[in-house]
Short mmCIF file of all heavy atoms in Angstrom, two decimals:
data_model
loop_
_atom_site.label_atom_id
_atom_site.label_comp_id
_atom_site.label_asym_id
_atom_site.label_seq_id
_atom_site.Cartn_x
_atom_site.Cartn_y
_atom_site.Cartn_z
N ASP A 178 -21.31 -2.50 -12.86
CA ASP A 178 -20.21 -2.89 -13.74
C ASP A 178 -19.00 -2.06 -13.35
O ASP A 178 -19.02 -0.83 -13.46
CB ASP A 178 -20.58 -2.62 -15.20
CG ASP A 178 -19.48 -3.02 -16.18
OD1 ASP A 178 -18.37 -3.36 -15.72
OD2 ASP A 178 -19.72 -2.96 -17.39
N PRO A 179 -17.92 -2.70 -12.85
CA PRO A 179 -16.75 -1.92 -12.42
C PRO A 179 -16.16 -1.04 -13.52
O PRO A 179 -15.57 0.00 -13.23
CB PRO A 179 -15.75 -2.97 -11.96
CG PRO A 179 -16.24 -4.26 -12.53
CD PRO A 179 -17.72 -4.14 -12.65
N SER A 180 -16.35 -1.42 -14.78
CA SER A 180 -15.82 -0.61 -15.87
C SER A 180 -16.58 0.70 -16.02
O SER A 180 -16.11 1.62 -16.70
CB SER A 180 -15.86 -1.38 -17.18
OG SER A 180 -17.19 -1.62 -17.60
N SER A 181 -17.75 0.81 -15.37
CA SER A 181 -18.54 2.05 -15.45
C SER A 181 -18.02 3.11 -14.49
O SER A 181 -18.41 4.28 -14.57
CB SER A 181 -20.01 1.77 -15.12
OG SER A 181 -20.18 1.42 -13.74
N VAL A 182 -17.13 2.71 -13.57
CA VAL A 182 -16.58 3.66 -12.59
C VAL A 182 -15.42 4.39 -13.24
O VAL A 182 -14.30 3.88 -13.32
CB VAL A 182 -16.13 2.92 -11.31
CG1 VAL A 182 -15.53 3.92 -10.32
CG2 VAL A 182 -17.30 2.18 -10.69
N LYS A 183 -15.70 5.59 -13.71
CA LYS A 183 -14.70 6.36 -14.46
C LYS A 183 -14.39 7.71 -13.84
O LYS A 183 -13.47 8.39 -14.27
CB LYS A 183 -15.19 6.56 -15.90
CG LYS A 183 -15.39 5.27 -16.68
CD LYS A 183 -15.84 5.54 -18.09
CE LYS A 183 -16.04 4.25 -18.88
NZ LYS A 183 -14.80 3.47 -19.03
N ASP A 184 -15.20 8.15 -12.88
CA ASP A 184 -14.99 9.44 -12.23
C ASP A 184 -15.72 9.41 -10.89
O ASP A 184 -16.26 8.36 -10.49
CB ASP A 184 -15.51 10.59 -13.12
CG ASP A 184 -16.94 10.36 -13.59
OD1 ASP A 184 -17.71 9.67 -12.89
OD2 ASP A 184 -17.30 10.87 -14.67
N TRP A 185 -15.73 10.53 -10.17
CA TRP A 185 -16.32 10.52 -8.84
C TRP A 185 -17.84 10.36 -8.88
O TRP A 185 -18.43 9.71 -8.02
CB TRP A 185 -15.96 11.80 -8.10
CG TRP A 185 -14.50 11.90 -7.77
CD1 TRP A 185 -13.49 11.05 -8.17
CD2 TRP A 185 -13.88 12.89 -6.97
NE1 TRP A 185 -12.29 11.47 -7.68
CE2 TRP A 185 -12.49 12.60 -6.94
CE3 TRP A 185 -14.34 14.01 -6.30
CZ2 TRP A 185 -11.58 13.40 -6.24
CZ3 TRP A 185 -13.43 14.81 -5.61
CH2 TRP A 185 -12.07 14.50 -5.57
N ALA A 186 -18.49 10.94 -9.87
CA ALA A 186 -19.95 10.83 -9.97
C ALA A 186 -20.36 9.38 -10.19
O ALA A 186 -21.30 8.88 -9.53
CB ALA A 186 -20.47 11.71 -11.10
N SER A 187 -19.67 8.68 -11.09
CA SER A 187 -20.02 7.28 -11.34
C SER A 187 -19.66 6.39 -10.16
O SER A 187 -20.33 5.39 -9.89
CB SER A 187 -19.35 6.78 -12.63
OG SER A 187 -17.95 6.95 -12.58
N LEU A 188 -18.60 6.74 -9.43
CA LEU A 188 -18.26 5.98 -8.24
C LEU A 188 -19.34 6.16 -7.17
O LEU A 188 -19.79 5.19 -6.55
CB LEU A 188 -16.90 6.41 -7.69
CG LEU A 188 -16.49 5.77 -6.36
CD1 LEU A 188 -16.48 4.24 -6.45
CD2 LEU A 188 -15.11 6.28 -5.92
N THR A 189 -19.76 7.40 -6.97
CA THR A 189 -20.82 7.65 -5.98
C THR A 189 -22.10 6.91 -6.36
O THR A 189 -22.79 6.34 -5.50
CB THR A 189 -21.09 9.16 -5.86
OG1 THR A 189 -19.89 9.81 -5.41
CG2 THR A 189 -22.20 9.44 -4.86
N ASP A 190 -22.41 6.89 -7.63
CA ASP A 190 -23.58 6.16 -8.09
C ASP A 190 -23.44 4.67 -7.80
O ASP A 190 -24.40 4.01 -7.37
CB ASP A 190 -23.76 6.39 -9.59
CG ASP A 190 -25.01 5.71 -10.14
OD1 ASP A 190 -26.12 6.04 -9.67
OD2 ASP A 190 -24.88 4.84 -11.03
N ALA A 191 -22.25 4.13 -8.01
CA ALA A 191 -22.00 2.72 -7.72
C ALA A 191 -22.15 2.44 -6.22
O ALA A 191 -22.72 1.41 -5.82
CB ALA A 191 -20.60 2.33 -8.19
N LEU A 192 -21.66 3.34 -5.39
CA LEU A 192 -21.78 3.17 -3.94
C LEU A 192 -23.25 3.13 -3.52
O LEU A 192 -23.65 2.32 -2.67
CB LEU A 192 -21.05 4.30 -3.21
CG LEU A 192 -19.54 4.42 -3.42
CD1 LEU A 192 -18.97 5.59 -2.61
CD2 LEU A 192 -18.83 3.13 -3.07
N LYS A 193 -24.04 4.00 -4.10
CA LYS A 193 -25.48 4.03 -3.76
C LYS A 193 -26.17 2.73 -4.14
O LYS A 193 -27.02 2.21 -3.41
CB LYS A 193 -26.14 5.22 -4.46
CG LYS A 193 -25.74 6.57 -3.90
CD LYS A 193 -26.39 7.72 -4.67
CE LYS A 193 -26.01 9.07 -4.07
NZ LYS A 193 -26.59 10.20 -4.85
N LYS A 194 -25.80 2.15 -5.29
CA LYS A 194 -26.39 0.89 -5.73
C LYS A 194 -25.99 -0.25 -4.80
O LYS A 194 -26.80 -1.13 -4.48
CB LYS A 194 -25.95 0.58 -7.16
CG LYS A 194 -26.58 1.48 -8.21
CD LYS A 194 -26.09 1.10 -9.61
CE LYS A 194 -26.73 2.00 -10.67
NZ LYS A 194 -26.22 1.66 -12.04
N VAL A 195 -24.73 -0.23 -4.36
CA VAL A 195 -24.26 -1.28 -3.44
C VAL A 195 -25.02 -1.20 -2.12
O VAL A 195 -25.47 -2.23 -1.58
CB VAL A 195 -22.75 -1.14 -3.21
CG1 VAL A 195 -22.30 -2.03 -2.05
CG2 VAL A 195 -21.97 -1.49 -4.48
N VAL A 196 -25.18 0.01 -1.59
CA VAL A 196 -25.90 0.19 -0.32
C VAL A 196 -27.38 -0.19 -0.49
O VAL A 196 -27.97 -0.84 0.39
CB VAL A 196 -25.75 1.63 0.18
CG1 VAL A 196 -26.67 1.90 1.37
CG2 VAL A 196 -24.30 1.91 0.56
N ALA A 197 -27.96 0.17 -1.61
CA ALA A 197 -29.37 -0.17 -1.87
C ALA A 197 -29.56 -1.68 -1.94
O ALA A 197 -30.66 -2.19 -1.64
CB ALA A 197 -29.83 0.49 -3.16
N ALA A 198 -28.51 -2.39 -2.34
CA ALA A 198 -28.58 -3.85 -2.43
C ALA A 198 -28.32 -4.53 -1.10
O ALA A 198 -28.29 -5.77 -1.02
CB ALA A 198 -27.59 -4.35 -3.48
N GLY A 199 -28.12 -3.74 -0.04
CA GLY A 199 -27.97 -4.29 1.29
C GLY A 199 -26.54 -4.46 1.77
O GLY A 199 -26.31 -5.02 2.85
N LYS A 200 -25.60 -3.96 1.02
CA LYS A 200 -24.20 -4.03 1.44
C LYS A 200 -23.69 -2.64 1.81
O LYS A 200 -24.47 -1.67 1.87
CB LYS A 200 -23.35 -4.63 0.31
CG LYS A 200 -23.64 -6.10 0.03
CD LYS A 200 -23.19 -6.99 1.18
CE LYS A 200 -23.30 -8.46 0.83
NZ LYS A 200 -22.81 -9.35 1.91
N LYS A 201 -22.39 -2.50 2.05
CA LYS A 201 -21.79 -1.23 2.41
C LYS A 201 -20.95 -0.73 1.23
O LYS A 201 -20.41 -1.52 0.47
CB LYS A 201 -20.93 -1.39 3.66
CG LYS A 201 -21.75 -1.85 4.88
CD LYS A 201 -20.87 -2.10 6.09
CE LYS A 201 -21.71 -2.61 7.26
NZ LYS A 201 -20.85 -2.89 8.45
N GLY A 202 -20.83 0.60 1.14
CA GLY A 202 -20.22 1.19 -0.03
C GLY A 202 -18.72 1.08 -0.10
O GLY A 202 -18.16 0.28 -0.85
#
Side-chain angles (χ1 to χ4, degrees):
D178 181 352
S180 67
S181 69
V182 178
K183 299 181 180 298
D184 51 28
W185 293 7
S187 56
L188 175 57
T189 298
D190 183 60
L192 298 181
K193 290 178 178 177
K194 289 180 179 178
V195 169
V196 171
K200 292 292 188 177
K201 299 176 183 179

